[in-house]
Amino acid sequence: MPEIEIVLAAVGIAATFAVWSFDRFMPGRKRIGYRVQMDTAIGMNPQDAHTLVQLRLIREGQEVSNATLALLRVENDGSKDIVRQDYQEPLSVEFSDRTIVGADVPDANPPNLAAMLTRNGGLRHDGGRLVLPRVPLNRKDHFKLLVLLTGEPRGEVTVDGFLSGGRIRRNQQRRGPRKIYLGLGAFLVTLLGVLGGLWLNGGTAPAKSRCASGELTVDGSTAFQPLMEEIAEAYEAECPGAAIEVRAGGSLSGIRELRSAGQAAPDGGDVPRITVSDGPAPSRYRELRGRPLGVVIFSVVVNKEAGVHNLTRAELRDLYSGRITNWRQLGGNDVPVSLVSRSADSGTRQAFEDSVLGGSEPAVSSDDCTSRDRDRKARVIRCERGGTAQLLAEVGTVEGAIGYTEMSAATRHPGVERVQLDGYEPDIEPVKRDRYPYWTVEYAYTYGSPQDDGLTAEFLAYLNSDTAKNLMRSHGHVPCVDHRSLPDSLCRP
């Protein structure tokens, strides 16, 4: 009967409205709602290879393969304000079978919510889980999360947590042509802004730098020398009264010279010297103060005639102990192995011995890197070279040579090939997952605390500027101030 159907429909509508009203306006009810506004792959499908236009995402100088972008809106859509104490467990966003590369807050109302969420590395991620700080949300407050990931979108994106006196729920997508067009336009603006800010500038506010005049010496790591020369040139261009000399004799040599310069300086005098070190200085140098600059990834390199592309740490130990003397023993070409190493003052060598070999390299047996001209009884041909450029030149020239160097320097040298370690490329993602072992933190050391407003202090501050960070990324390093790109455990204080 039509009348009964009308009554039943009216009752159903009334019941639905009553449930919604009770959920929305019940006294004391607190609720956080979220919507996934976008979750899409970025790039080209291999089957579409004929496509003329390709979209690629570049981060830290490397292409982000299999990239996806997700945009979420999180809001207080309940009837009560939410304070920090209401979070029994913080909000977390789960992306199944994917790895988070970076995240930012491109939109928030009120605007200060963005700063509250991102300050001091507030957005923390591990694998496919993004954890948010506990921020107060008044009624109708909202923010958006833009997340860059690797991996195919599979399953639903979920937001979890525990809200005292309330709940967290997934809201329905709002539809309609006008909202779709407005949302698409806002997303494109957001994407351009955030890709220009988060993944090019690290998502941090630009560091303010001031000019200081005088002379300054920067020495230490040869792996970091090309980068420091570029940063010094940039500072001198902005501050014409500064003269910065960059030289490199090795991390440990620079550490010793810095302490000697400090001990010879008059009491209370500033030491116009900075030493850049691959890894922390030995604990006996207590007078020095170190500041982490960035994560530096190293690579094992071989001459192209070696014919190998992947080595395990066990195989490297066999190579450096002399148990393997020809590349054919590892499935490569029939050429003898020659070890080209750095001197004992090298931080790159120290990191190689600590993280890859688990012990010291053998003694020098060769001057020319091709014969045992220094020790005819040695089990292995091993020579030493004083800097990164010299090592790469030797490895690129000597057939069957193997060495190690800073990653981006190896990439730029045409005569050598980088090899995988235990099946992993030298890249920040396997480093963060504790899969790639050969890396270290680069430190800038001074003798004590430099005087305020002096060139030493101002140049140290400049190392955290956007200019310096972008130069660092162009060399394949990850600045330590990019907390959202790095777990806290990587950049040790």
Short mmCIF file of all heavy atoms in Angstrom, two decimals, residues 286-321:
data_model
loop_
_atom_site.label_atom_id
_atom_site.label_comp_id
_atom_site.label_asym_id
_atom_site.label_seq_id
_atom_site.Cartn_x
_atom_site.Cartn_y
_atom_site.Cartn_z
N ARG A 286 88.08 15.82 23.20
CA ARG A 286 86.96 16.37 23.96
C ARG A 286 86.81 17.87 23.80
O ARG A 286 85.76 18.42 24.12
CB ARG A 286 87.14 16.02 25.44
CG ARG A 286 87.16 14.52 25.71
CD ARG A 286 87.37 14.21 27.18
NE ARG A 286 87.39 12.76 27.42
CZ ARG A 286 87.61 12.21 28.60
NH1 ARG A 286 87.83 12.99 29.66
NH2 ARG A 286 87.61 10.90 28.73
N GLU A 287 87.84 18.54 23.33
CA GLU A 287 87.75 20.00 23.18
C GLU A 287 86.91 20.39 21.97
O GLU A 287 86.50 21.55 21.85
CB GLU A 287 89.15 20.61 23.01
CG GLU A 287 90.19 20.12 24.01
CD GLU A 287 90.98 18.94 23.47
OE1 GLU A 287 90.41 18.16 22.67
OE2 GLU A 287 92.16 18.80 23.83
N LEU A 288 86.67 19.45 21.08
CA LEU A 288 85.98 19.77 19.83
C LEU A 288 84.47 19.62 19.99
O LEU A 288 83.98 18.76 20.74
CB LEU A 288 86.47 18.85 18.72
CG LEU A 288 88.00 18.78 18.52
CD1 LEU A 288 88.31 17.98 17.27
CD2 LEU A 288 88.60 20.18 18.45
N ARG A 289 83.79 20.48 19.26
CA ARG A 289 82.33 20.42 19.28
C ARG A 289 81.84 20.10 17.87
O ARG A 289 82.17 20.80 16.92
CB ARG A 289 81.73 21.75 19.74
CG ARG A 289 80.21 21.73 19.79
CD ARG A 289 79.63 23.06 20.20
NE ARG A 289 78.19 23.05 20.18
CZ ARG A 289 77.43 24.12 20.36
NH1 ARG A 289 78.00 25.30 20.57
NH2 ARG A 289 76.12 24.03 20.33
N GLY A 290 81.08 19.01 17.76
CA GLY A 290 80.60 18.56 16.45
C GLY A 290 79.13 18.82 16.24
O GLY A 290 78.33 18.73 17.17
N ARG A 291 78.78 19.14 15.00
CA ARG A 291 77.38 19.37 14.61
C ARG A 291 77.08 18.49 13.40
O ARG A 291 77.78 18.58 12.39
CB ARG A 291 77.15 20.84 14.26
CG ARG A 291 77.40 21.79 15.41
CD ARG A 291 77.64 23.19 14.91
NE ARG A 291 77.92 24.13 16.00
CZ ARG A 291 79.11 24.27 16.58
NH1 ARG A 291 80.13 23.53 16.17
NH2 ARG A 291 79.29 25.13 17.56
N PRO A 292 76.05 17.63 13.47
CA PRO A 292 75.74 16.77 12.33
C PRO A 292 75.24 17.59 11.14
O PRO A 292 74.40 18.47 11.29
CB PRO A 292 74.66 15.83 12.86
CG PRO A 292 74.06 16.55 14.03
CD PRO A 292 75.15 17.39 14.62
N LEU A 293 75.77 17.31 9.97
CA LEU A 293 75.38 18.03 8.75
C LEU A 293 74.43 17.21 7.89
O LEU A 293 73.40 17.73 7.45
CB LEU A 293 76.62 18.39 7.93
CG LEU A 293 77.63 19.33 8.57
CD1 LEU A 293 78.81 19.54 7.62
CD2 LEU A 293 76.97 20.67 8.91
N GLY A 294 74.78 15.98 7.63
CA GLY A 294 73.94 15.18 6.75
C GLY A 294 74.39 13.74 6.71
O GLY A 294 75.49 13.39 7.15
N VAL A 295 73.54 12.90 6.17
CA VAL A 295 73.86 11.50 5.97
C VAL A 295 74.56 11.36 4.63
O VAL A 295 74.05 11.79 3.60
CB VAL A 295 72.59 10.63 6.01
CG1 VAL A 295 72.90 9.21 5.57
CG2 VAL A 295 71.99 10.64 7.41
N VAL A 296 75.75 10.77 4.66
CA VAL A 296 76.55 10.56 3.47
C VAL A 296 76.57 9.06 3.17
O VAL A 296 76.90 8.25 4.03
CB VAL A 296 77.99 11.07 3.65
CG1 VAL A 296 78.82 10.83 2.40
CG2 VAL A 296 77.97 12.55 4.00
N ILE A 297 76.20 8.73 1.95
CA ILE A 297 76.15 7.33 1.53
C ILE A 297 77.37 7.05 0.65
O ILE A 297 77.66 7.80 -0.29
CB ILE A 297 74.85 7.03 0.78
CG1 ILE A 297 73.64 7.38 1.65
CG2 ILE A 297 74.79 5.56 0.36
CD1 ILE A 297 72.32 7.34 0.92
N PHE A 298 78.07 5.98 0.97
CA PHE A 298 79.25 5.58 0.21
C PHE A 298 78.91 4.40 -0.69
O PHE A 298 77.90 3.71 -0.50
CB PHE A 298 80.39 5.20 1.15
CG PHE A 298 80.83 6.32 2.05
CD1 PHE A 298 80.51 6.31 3.40
CD2 PHE A 298 81.55 7.40 1.55
CE1 PHE A 298 80.92 7.33 4.24
CE2 PHE A 298 81.95 8.42 2.39
CZ PHE A 298 81.63 8.39 3.73
N SER A 299 79.79 4.16 -1.64
CA SER A 299 79.58 3.08 -2.59
C SER A 299 80.89 2.34 -2.83
O SER A 299 81.95 2.96 -2.89
CB SER A 299 79.04 3.62 -3.91
OG SER A 299 78.95 2.59 -4.88
N VAL A 300 80.81 1.04 -2.95
CA VAL A 300 81.93 0.24 -3.46
C VAL A 300 81.92 0.36 -4.97
O VAL A 300 80.87 0.27 -5.61
CB VAL A 300 81.81 -1.22 -3.02
CG1 VAL A 300 82.87 -2.09 -3.69
CG2 VAL A 300 81.91 -1.33 -1.51
N VAL A 301 83.09 0.60 -5.56
CA VAL A 301 83.20 0.79 -7.00
C VAL A 301 84.22 -0.19 -7.57
O VAL A 301 85.17 -0.57 -6.89
CB VAL A 301 83.60 2.24 -7.36
CG1 VAL A 301 82.50 3.21 -6.97
CG2 VAL A 301 84.91 2.63 -6.67
N VAL A 302 84.00 -0.60 -8.81
CA VAL A 302 84.92 -1.51 -9.48
C VAL A 302 85.22 -0.97 -10.87
O VAL A 302 84.44 -0.21 -11.46
CB VAL A 302 84.35 -2.94 -9.60
CG1 VAL A 302 84.14 -3.56 -8.23
CG2 VAL A 302 83.04 -2.94 -10.39
N ASN A 303 86.38 -1.37 -11.40
CA ASN A 303 86.69 -1.13 -12.79
C ASN A 303 85.69 -1.89 -13.67
O ASN A 303 85.27 -3.00 -13.32
CB ASN A 303 88.12 -1.58 -13.07
CG ASN A 303 88.54 -1.35 -14.51
OD1 ASN A 303 88.29 -2.18 -15.38
ND2 ASN A 303 89.18 -0.22 -14.77
N LYS A 304 85.33 -1.31 -14.79
CA LYS A 304 84.29 -1.92 -15.63
C LYS A 304 84.68 -3.30 -16.14
O LYS A 304 83.81 -4.11 -16.48
CB LYS A 304 83.98 -1.00 -16.80
CG LYS A 304 83.25 0.27 -16.38
CD LYS A 304 82.83 1.09 -17.58
CE LYS A 304 82.01 2.31 -17.13
NZ LYS A 304 81.57 3.14 -18.26
N GLU A 305 85.98 -3.60 -16.19
CA GLU A 305 86.42 -4.91 -16.68
C GLU A 305 86.26 -6.01 -15.64
O GLU A 305 86.47 -7.18 -15.95
CB GLU A 305 87.88 -4.84 -17.13
CG GLU A 305 88.12 -3.91 -18.31
CD GLU A 305 87.29 -4.30 -19.53
OE1 GLU A 305 87.21 -5.51 -19.82
OE2 GLU A 305 86.73 -3.40 -20.17
N ALA A 306 85.90 -5.65 -14.40
CA ALA A 306 85.73 -6.68 -13.37
C ALA A 306 84.55 -7.60 -13.70
O ALA A 306 84.59 -8.80 -13.43
CB ALA A 306 85.53 -6.05 -12.00
N GLY A 307 83.47 -7.01 -14.24
CA GLY A 307 82.33 -7.82 -14.67
C GLY A 307 81.42 -8.26 -13.55
O GLY A 307 80.69 -9.25 -13.69
N VAL A 308 81.41 -7.55 -12.42
CA VAL A 308 80.50 -7.87 -11.32
C VAL A 308 79.64 -6.64 -11.01
O VAL A 308 80.06 -5.50 -11.24
CB VAL A 308 81.26 -8.31 -10.05
CG1 VAL A 308 82.03 -9.58 -10.31
CG2 VAL A 308 82.18 -7.21 -9.56
N HIS A 309 78.45 -6.90 -10.49
CA HIS A 309 77.51 -5.81 -10.22
C HIS A 309 76.93 -5.87 -8.81
O HIS A 309 76.25 -4.94 -8.39
CB HIS A 309 76.37 -5.83 -11.25
CG HIS A 309 76.84 -5.84 -12.67
ND1 HIS A 309 77.36 -4.72 -13.28
CD2 HIS A 309 76.91 -6.86 -13.58
CE1 HIS A 309 77.71 -5.03 -14.53
NE2 HIS A 309 77.45 -6.31 -14.73
N ASN A 310 77.18 -6.97 -8.11
CA ASN A 310 76.67 -7.11 -6.76
C ASN A 310 77.67 -7.91 -5.94
O ASN A 310 78.20 -8.92 -6.40
CB ASN A 310 75.30 -7.82 -6.76
CG ASN A 310 74.74 -8.00 -5.36
OD1 ASN A 310 74.88 -7.12 -4.52
ND2 ASN A 310 74.14 -9.15 -5.10
N LEU A 311 77.95 -7.43 -4.73
CA LEU A 311 78.85 -8.13 -3.83
C LEU A 311 78.23 -8.19 -2.45
O LEU A 311 77.54 -7.26 -2.03
CB LEU A 311 80.21 -7.41 -3.74
CG LEU A 311 81.08 -7.40 -5.00
CD1 LEU A 311 82.25 -6.43 -4.83
CD2 LEU A 311 81.60 -8.80 -5.32
N THR A 312 78.47 -9.29 -1.76
CA THR A 312 78.04 -9.39 -0.37
C THR A 312 79.19 -8.95 0.53
O THR A 312 80.36 -8.89 0.11
CB THR A 312 77.65 -10.83 -0.02
OG1 THR A 312 78.82 -11.66 -0.07
CG2 THR A 312 76.60 -11.36 -1.00
N ARG A 313 78.86 -8.67 1.76
CA ARG A 313 79.91 -8.30 2.70
C ARG A 313 80.89 -9.46 2.93
O ARG A 313 82.09 -9.24 3.10
CB ARG A 313 79.30 -7.83 4.02
CG ARG A 313 78.91 -6.37 4.00
CD ARG A 313 78.27 -5.92 5.29
NE ARG A 313 76.85 -6.27 5.34
CZ ARG A 313 76.02 -5.90 6.30
NH1 ARG A 313 76.47 -5.18 7.31
NH2 ARG A 313 74.75 -6.25 6.28
N ALA A 314 80.37 -10.67 2.88
CA ALA A 314 81.26 -11.82 3.04
C ALA A 314 82.24 -11.90 1.87
O ALA A 314 83.44 -12.20 2.07
CB ALA A 314 80.43 -13.11 3.13
N GLU A 315 81.78 -11.63 0.66
CA GLU A 315 82.67 -11.66 -0.50
C GLU A 315 83.71 -10.54 -0.43
O GLU A 315 84.88 -10.73 -0.81
CB GLU A 315 81.84 -11.53 -1.78
CG GLU A 315 81.03 -12.78 -2.09
CD GLU A 315 80.02 -12.57 -3.22
OE1 GLU A 315 79.68 -11.39 -3.51
OE2 GLU A 315 79.57 -13.57 -3.79
N LEU A 316 83.31 -9.38 0.08
CA LEU A 316 84.27 -8.29 0.22
C LEU A 316 85.35 -8.64 1.24
O LEU A 316 86.54 -8.32 1.05
CB LEU A 316 83.54 -7.00 0.63
CG LEU A 316 82.82 -6.29 -0.50
CD1 LEU A 316 81.84 -5.25 0.04
CD2 LEU A 316 83.81 -5.62 -1.44
N ARG A 317 84.99 -9.30 2.31
CA ARG A 317 85.98 -9.72 3.28
C ARG A 317 86.96 -10.73 2.66
O ARG A 317 88.15 -10.70 2.95
CB ARG A 317 85.29 -10.32 4.51
CG ARG A 317 84.52 -9.28 5.32
CD ARG A 317 83.69 -9.90 6.41
NE ARG A 317 82.81 -8.91 7.02
CZ ARG A 317 81.52 -9.11 7.26
NH1 ARG A 317 80.95 -10.27 6.95
NH2 ARG A 317 80.79 -8.17 7.81
N ASP A 318 86.43 -11.60 1.80
CA ASP A 318 87.31 -12.54 1.11
C ASP A 318 88.23 -11.83 0.13
O ASP A 318 89.40 -12.21 -0.02
CB ASP A 318 86.48 -13.59 0.36
CG ASP A 318 85.81 -14.59 1.30
OD1 ASP A 318 86.25 -14.70 2.47
OD2 ASP A 318 84.85 -15.26 0.87
N LEU A 319 87.74 -10.80 -0.52
CA LEU A 319 88.57 -10.02 -1.44
C LEU A 319 89.70 -9.31 -0.70
O LEU A 319 90.86 -9.32 -1.13
CB LEU A 319 87.71 -9.00 -2.19
CG LEU A 319 86.83 -9.52 -3.31
CD1 LEU A 319 85.76 -8.50 -3.68
CD2 LEU A 319 87.67 -9.86 -4.55
N TYR A 320 89.38 -8.70 0.43
CA TYR A 320 90.38 -7.92 1.16
C TYR A 320 91.31 -8.79 2.00
O TYR A 320 92.37 -8.32 2.43
CB TYR A 320 89.70 -6.85 2.01
CG TYR A 320 89.33 -5.63 1.20
CD1 TYR A 320 88.22 -5.63 0.37
CD2 TYR A 320 90.13 -4.49 1.23
CE1 TYR A 320 87.90 -4.53 -0.40
CE2 TYR A 320 89.82 -3.38 0.46
CZ TYR A 320 88.71 -3.40 -0.36
OH TYR A 320 88.39 -2.30 -1.14
N SER A 321 90.94 -10.03 2.21
CA SER A 321 91.84 -10.94 2.94
C SER A 321 92.75 -11.71 1.99
O SER A 321 93.70 -12.37 2.44
CB SER A 321 91.03 -11.94 3.76
OG SER A 321 90.30 -12.82 2.91
#
